[in-house]
Amino acid sequence: LKVVVLSIGAAAPRINIKELIKLKVIVPNLDTQLVFQKIVRQYQRSKELSQSHLTLGGDLFGVLNQKAFYGEL
């Protein structure tokens, strides 16, 4: 947020290096980073699984719809 305030220029904003050096960057300890990484990976797996279920559900609906259309139900 503060970086945006420090940028100069309209067409091609630039950051003054002296101001950039003054910015404090918070870096979590390694244990916290590893916990966060684990959470992100679990979320990604869950998202992929949900997407595959959604795709499968759509495929099954298409087959069911086609059978209904041809009177095969």
Side-chain angles (χ1 to χ4, degrees):
L1 181 63
K2 193 172 184 180
V3 173
V4 174
V5 174
L6 297 175
S7 64
I8 302 168
R14 286 173 260 157
I15 298 174
N16 182 334
I17 193 70
K18 290 178 184 177
E19 293 296 324
L20 184 61
I21 290 171
K22 292 179 188 176
L23 288 178
K24 293 181 182 178
V25 178
I26 299 171
V27 179
N29 64 38
L30 184 58
D31 289 339
T32 303
Q33 292 179 44
L34 293 174
V35 168
F36 180 76
Q37 179 185 34
K38 184 177 178 181
I39 292 169
V40 169
R41 285 188 177 160
Q42 287 173 345
Y43 166 76
Q44 288 172 333
R45 282 190 210 114
S46 176
K47 183 178 164 187
E48 290 169 2
L49 185 61
S50 294
Q51 184 60 45
S52 82
H53 286 158
L54 186 61
T55 301
L56 179 60
D59 292 346
L60 292 174
F61 178 76
V63 170
L64 185 62
N65 198 19
Q66 188 174 14
K67 286 184 181 247
F69 181 76
Y70 288 111
E72 299 174 359
L73 289 179

